Amino acid sequence: MAPSKNAERDAREARDRLRRYNARQAVHTHQVKRRKRDNIAAVVGVVVVVALATLTQVLYFTAGPGVATSASPSASPSPSASPAATKNTGNVPASTIAQGRTWTGELDLNSVPLAIELDGKAAPQATSVFISLAQKNFYTTTGATCHRLTNSPTASLIQCGSVNGDGSGDIGFSFGPIENAPADGVYPAGTIAMARGAGAFSQSTQFFITYAATTLDTSTGGYTVFGKVTGGLDAFVSAIASKGVAATAASTTDGAPVAATKITKLTLK
């Protein structure tokens, strides 16, 4: 007996409903998978951004205050030596050069004279390195440029002494350990300290001077304080620091000083 027209119509409609249901299910499944992919991509993007931001801070302030801007108190000073070093590398000047005594002298930035005092007793290795480089005229020739200025509410410093004049370069040695770092991370105005990378033995040629009270991270040991400015800081602020930072897309408080700065004189005795 042949099926009725109504039965055929019902069967056809049932097949159509099934096709539409399957199509909706396929679209839903695709959307769920796409949302999962988008969520994963978003998470990965956030992780990458955070990782890059962290790396930038480590390099700038571990190259900050101190090593080569390879670079931040996010504004920490930046480094110039390998952050992986766990011991002295290269021909590091002997720690006895400082003679365990106080040294006095003059450090001129753009001919603005700063009276300085170095502590060869509290920081014999860093002081000896600085004296050795000064005696070889490194800081008034190759390492004369002060490539970095920060003027954030918690970090006010100028960083100098890189081999290439931009925070980068390798003089051939790095040293440690960290000496005479303040336990509370507070560096008073006029502090002279070594910049470094992530490790305690990544100090090299770069140093920084704070021109206002500055607070830096203590979690990796802080920065070697080997001297202080005893006169002329107000003149430096007026002539150089007050001119500000050359703003970039990355920062308006940390970068090259607007007043291009060089060490024009350095004497010690």
Side-chain angles (χ1 to χ4, degrees), residues 113-206:
L114 300 177
I116 63 172
E117 187 176 284
L118 307 183
D119 194 339
K121 182 177 181 180
Q125 183 61 81
T127 303
S128 292
V129 168
F130 189 85
I131 292 170
S132 175
L133 291 170
Q135 291 173 339
K136 295 174 181 176
N137 297 318
F138 170 81
Y139 286 122
T140 51
T141 54
T142 304
T145 299
C146 296
H147 65 280
R148 184 183 185 206
L149 183 76
T150 70
N151 61 0
S152 74
T154 58
S156 300
L157 60 90
I158 189 164
Q159 188 169 328
C160 315
S162 69
V163 173
N164 293 335
D166 59 0
S168 67
D170 182 4
I171 199 170
F173 69 78
S174 65
F175 69 93
I178 296 168
E179 307 168 285
N180 197 37
D184 60 1
V186 177
Y187 298 74
T191 297
I192 304 175
M194 277 289 170
R196 65 174 179 83
F201 286 81
S202 61
Q203 301 169 109
S204 188
T205 63
Q206 292 189 46

Side-chain angles (χ1 to χ4, degrees), residues 201-265:
F201 286 81
S202 61
Q203 301 169 109
S204 188
T205 63
Q206 292 189 46
F207 68 96
F208 63 96
I209 299 172
T210 61
Y211 58 91
T214 293
T215 301
L216 301 176
D217 181 30
T218 61
S219 64
T220 59
Y223 299 89
T224 294
V225 174
F226 66 95
K228 61 184 178 180
V229 175
T230 58
L233 204 56
D234 289 344
F236 161 78
V237 171
S238 177
I240 298 173
S242 65
K243 301 300 188 293
V245 173
T248 65
S251 177
T252 58
T253 60
D254 187 342
V258 169
T261 306
K262 287 184 177 294
I263 299 171
T264 51
K265 179 181 178 181

Side-chain angles (χ1 to χ4, degrees), residues 4-17:
S4 67
K5 291 183 178 180
N6 288 338
E8 289 179 351
R9 184 181 64 249
D10 291 343
R12 186 167 57 253
E13 290 176 350
R15 288 194 298 271
D16 289 341
R17 285 195 298 273

